[in-house]
């Protein structure tokens, strides 16, 4: 696939991208927890972005969703580009593993583990440390219990979401 083909997009795809970004923004609002440790349904939007649009457009949609969410609802501590990067890397990983590929449990497990380790534990802990001056070790210790429990729930939800989306025939 050439670079030109990778960035080529039709109007109906942009409209669908806008809908999925809106879904991600709305689902991200359903969250529990503190600034340091919180659980939300936003991962469903990231999964959808990666599955439907691939790594490049999924990442772009993830970045747009963070900008829109920040503009509409604000963020505690203000806008921080690091969290935008995290919002882009999640759909990028999902896109690499799900885009134009059959729904397989091993892909879901691998994608969830990669997003958990790279984005949630790695990058987001670093962003919390940089933004709030929190000790990196303390932030990590607070986040580990959540990151050992929540990914299992995300895997189950991801499986059902991808099964449902894969049954819908979207003409491209």
């Amino acid at each position: 696939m050439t670079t030109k083909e990778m960035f080529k997009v039709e109007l109906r795809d942009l409209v669908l991208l806008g809908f999925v970004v809106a879904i991600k923004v709305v689902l991200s609002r359903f969250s529990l927890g503190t600034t340091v440790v919180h659980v939300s349904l936003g991962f469903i939007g990231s999964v959808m972005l990666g599955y439907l649009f691939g790594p490049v457009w999924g990442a772009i949609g993830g970045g747009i969703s963070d900008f829109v969410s920040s503009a509409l609802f604000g963020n505690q501590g203000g806008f921080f580009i690091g969290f935008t990067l995290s919002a882009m890397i999640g759909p990028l990983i999902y896109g690499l593993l799900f885009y134009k590929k059959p729904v397989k449990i091993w892909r879901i497990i691998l994608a969830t583990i990669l997003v958990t380790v790279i984005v949630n534990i790695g990058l987001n802990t670093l962003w919390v440390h940089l933004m709030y001056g929190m000790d990196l070790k303390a932030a990590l210790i607070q986040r580990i219990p959540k990151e050992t429990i929540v990914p299992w729930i995300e895997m189950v939800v991801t499986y059902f979401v991808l099964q449902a989306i894969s049954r819908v025939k979207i003409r491209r």
Side-chain angles (χ1 to χ4, degrees), residues 50-150:
Y51 180 81
L52 293 171
F53 298 101
V56 174
W57 282 102
I60 291 168
I64 292 169
S65 74
D66 187 68
F67 286 130
V68 169
S69 181
S70 186
L72 290 177
F73 306 111
N75 294 328
Q76 273 187 324
F79 174 78
F80 184 67
I81 195 72
F83 288 115
T84 304
L85 182 63
S86 292
M88 294 174 75
I89 292 174
L92 178 111
I93 292 170
Y94 291 127
L96 290 171
L97 289 161
F98 299 153
Y99 185 60
K100 294 186 178 180
K101 295 182 173 101
V103 176
K104 300 284 186 187
I105 292 174
W106 71 267
R107 289 184 204 280
I108 294 169
I109 292 169
L110 180 61
T112 305
I113 289 171
L114 287 173
V115 169
T116 298
V117 171
I118 295 169
V119 178
N120 299 347
I121 294 174
L123 293 175
N124 287 349
T125 304
L126 177 63
W127 306 146
V128 167
H129 164 71
L130 293 175
M131 269 189 83
Y132 303 110
M134 184 175 204
D135 180 59
L136 194 58
K137 192 174 181 181
L140 190 59
I141 289 169
Q142 286 183 18
R143 297 173 68 82
I144 289 294
K146 175 237 176 195
E147 298 304 339
T148 56
I149 297 167
V150 172

Side-chain angles (χ1 to χ4, degrees), residues 144-163:
I144 289 294
K146 175 237 176 195
E147 298 304 339
T148 56
I149 297 167
V150 172
W152 298 101
I153 298 165
E154 289 179 357
M155 288 178 204
V156 172
V157 172
T158 298
Y159 176 78
F160 287 111
V161 167
L162 292 181
Q163 285 295 319

Side-chain angles (χ1 to χ4, degrees), residues 7-17 53 57 171-172:
F7 288 99
K8 183 180 176 190
V9 66
E10 294 185 20
L11 179 60
R12 71 175 158 228
D13 293 330
L14 282 177
V15 171
L16 180 60
L17 180 70
F53 298 101
W57 282 102
R171 286 185 301 203
R172 291 212 159 195

Side-chain angles (χ1 to χ4, degrees), residues 6-56:
M6 196 179 308
F7 288 99
K8 183 180 176 190
V9 66
E10 294 185 20
L11 179 60
R12 71 175 158 228
D13 293 330
L14 282 177
V15 171
L16 180 60
L17 180 70
F19 279 121
V20 177
V21 165
I23 288 169
K24 180 170 170 39
V25 169
V26 170
L27 289 176
S28 294
R29 299 303 300 162
F30 294 99
S31 66
L32 299 169
T34 65
T35 304
V36 177
V37 180
H38 78 278
V39 178
S40 85
L41 298 175
F43 77 94
I44 296 171
S46 294
V47 167
M48 291 174 66
L49 285 168
Y51 180 81
L52 293 171
F53 298 101
V56 174

